[in-house]
Amino acid sequence: MTPPATVTLAKALNTALRHAMREDDRTVVFGEDVGTLGGVFRITDGLTQEFGEERCFDTPLAESAIIGTAVGMAMYGYRPVVEMQFDAFAYPAFEQLVSHVAKFRSRTRGALPLPLTVRIPYGGGIGGVEHHSDSSEIYYMATPGLTVVTPATVADAYSLLRRSIASPDPVVFLEPKRLYWHKDEVALPVDTGPLGWAAVRRPGTDATLVTYGPSLPVALAAAEAAAEQGLSLEVVDLRTLSPFDEDTVAASVRRTGRAVVVHEAHGFAGPGAEIAARITERCFYHLEAPLRRVTGLDVPYPAPLLEDHYLPDVGRVLDAVYRLEWPAASRTPKAAA
């Protein structure tokens, strides 16, 4: 067994692609600048050198054509893994994803699966300009037929990407770009469980923070800060946005009686709205206070110098927690007393 080593999330993704390509010569990787350059974020670094230009290659700057080509390859037995260079760059390919990728199994009455993985770096926090920092997950979540995955840890980056590539159905794999250089001690390969499972990253008893992707470190930091005020927050990392793991989330909220949903995407009709609705349906009689959401603002993503005002931070999360209606003095955080 490989001993644990310090690995970045980016390296874990690169290793997952490398292992998948070694194990199955039907796995091919392509997209803009993924070949010689190794990708804007170097996630595909070295793959062309190892596997050749037939299995890891550059494409024209035409996202719709990239997805359309991947659909045809998947129909003929390949397992394409394509990269949309930045989140908002994927919008020209959205019609292909909705009209064809998401519907092929249904259209063929299950006869023709589509083992296609679409990798999309997403989210802010890197000082990117317009079209480089969108959180567009709700568009994919709202499209039946797509599995939507977003890792937040190094181990999940490897494991969830391997499981996405192995899936017989299309997966939109959202990579939180500001976590690419986060490090952890991990022995690769690693398996962290199937798609569709959430994980409790920190146990707690007083309230649940439901989050995913780039907001997980924020939620964990908020839970640590809340502990200094005598408040125990449980942190649930969704890992997969669709299908949504209602059982894990509901079990947590029923234990704690309170919930705050945290994510970077906009608030109005954003992912948190659906998550809050499902929590309310499953946990209404267990809730001791109305749910709250901490999200990005309902504006286009701002210029780099303003993004810190847009992104959820520890202070905003704690403010939402402290406004959760705490009737018993013994359970009221000191900062809210």
Side-chain angles (χ1 to χ4, degrees), residues 111-188:
L112 192 62
L114 213 64
L116 163 61
T117 303
V118 183
R119 294 182 40 248
I120 305 177
Y122 84 115
I126 65 166
V129 295
E130 186 182 24
H131 296 120
H132 291 72
S133 301
D134 280 14
S135 293
S136 47
E137 56 267 33
I138 190 61
Y139 303 137
Y140 307 112
M141 292 170 63
T143 304
L146 297 178
T147 297
V148 184
V149 177
T150 178
T153 68
V154 173
D156 267 356
Y158 177 92
S159 178
L160 295 180
L161 183 53
R162 289 300 308 272
R163 285 187 174 268
S164 296
I165 296 171
S167 172
D169 294 308
V171 177
V172 174
F173 192 87
L174 298 169
E175 301 169 4
K177 63 175 78 77
R178 67 164 155 160
L179 301 186
Y180 273 146
W181 310 117
H182 279 220
K183 299 177 180 179
D184 201 358
E185 291 289 319
V186 179
L188 301 179

Side-chain angles (χ1 to χ4, degrees), residues 17-31:
L17 290 170
R18 194 179 303 274
H19 287 177
M21 294 176 77
R22 286 176 182 171
E23 293 178 14
D24 188 345
D25 59 12
R26 297 174 302 167
T27 302
V28 293
V29 174
F30 56 97

Side-chain angles (χ1 to χ4, degrees), residues 25-301:
D25 59 12
R26 297 174 302 167
T27 302
V28 293
V29 174
F30 56 97
E32 298 165 6
D33 296 322
V34 303
T36 303
L37 180 65
V40 172
F41 298 100
R42 303 300 186 268
I43 306 303
T44 57
D45 188 38
L47 299 183
T48 297
Q49 289 81 352
E50 179 173 347
F51 300 100
E53 293 184 350
E54 290 187 353
R55 294 191 59 203
C56 181
F57 55 89
D58 293 328
T59 67
L61 305 182
E63 287 78 12
S64 182
I66 293 171
I67 297 295
T69 301
V71 170
M73 295 181 74
M75 290 172 63
Y76 277 88
Y78 287 91
R79 290 186 174 272
V81 182
V82 301
E83 178 180 303
M84 302 284 102
Q85 197 169 72
F86 283 92
D87 30 55
F89 291 10
Y91 297 153
F94 192 66
E95 191 276 334
Q96 291 275 5
L97 284 165
V98 172
S99 297
H100 303 296
V101 174
K103 292 180 169 61
F104 237 94
R105 181 182 283 278
S106 176
R107 180 180 298 156
T108 62
R109 299 182 182 181
L112 192 62
L114 213 64
L116 163 61
T117 303
V118 183
R119 294 182 40 248
I120 305 177
Y122 84 115
I126 65 166
V129 295
E130 186 182 24
H131 296 120
H132 291 72
S133 301
D134 280 14
S135 293
S136 47
E137 56 267 33
I138 190 61
Y139 303 137
Y140 307 112
M141 292 170 63
T143 304
L146 297 178
T147 297
V148 184
V149 177
T150 178
T153 68
V154 173
D156 267 356
Y158 177 92
S159 178
L160 295 180
L161 183 53
R162 289 300 308 272
R163 285 187 174 268
S164 296
I165 296 171
S167 172
D169 294 308
V171 177
V172 174
F173 192 87
L174 298 169
E175 301 169 4
K177 63 175 78 77
R178 67 164 155 160
L179 301 186
Y180 273 146
W181 310 117
H182 279 220
K183 299 177 180 179
D184 201 358
E185 291 289 319
V186 179
L188 301 179
V190 63
D191 186 2
T192 60
L195 305 180
W197 282 14
V200 177
R201 300 296 185 191
R202 179 185 177 114
T205 57
D206 294 327
T208 298
L209 302 181
V210 182
T211 190
Y212 58 86
S215 295
L216 177 62
V218 176
L220 289 171
E224 186 68 26
E228 299 177 1
Q229 303 294 329
L231 196 63
S232 175
L233 301 183
E234 183 152 294
V235 179
V236 176
D237 175 9
L238 294 178
R239 301 171 73 243
T240 302
L241 303 179
S242 180
F244 177 71
D245 185 357
E246 290 189 26
D247 291 341
T248 298
V249 173
S252 175
V253 175
R254 286 171 178 170
R255 285 194 301 271
T256 66
R258 292 175 170 82
V260 176
V261 182
V262 184
H263 60 68
E264 281 189 18
H266 58 272
F268 181 78
E274 176 64 24
I275 295 169
R278 288 178 178 264
I279 291 174
T280 301
E281 289 172 351
R282 291 284 299 271
C283 307
F284 182 80
Y285 293 106
H286 298 266
L287 290 172
E288 299 179 30
L291 280 77
R292 293 194 176 273
R293 290 178 288 163
V294 179
T295 72
L297 307 180
D298 293 328
V299 299
Y301 199 88

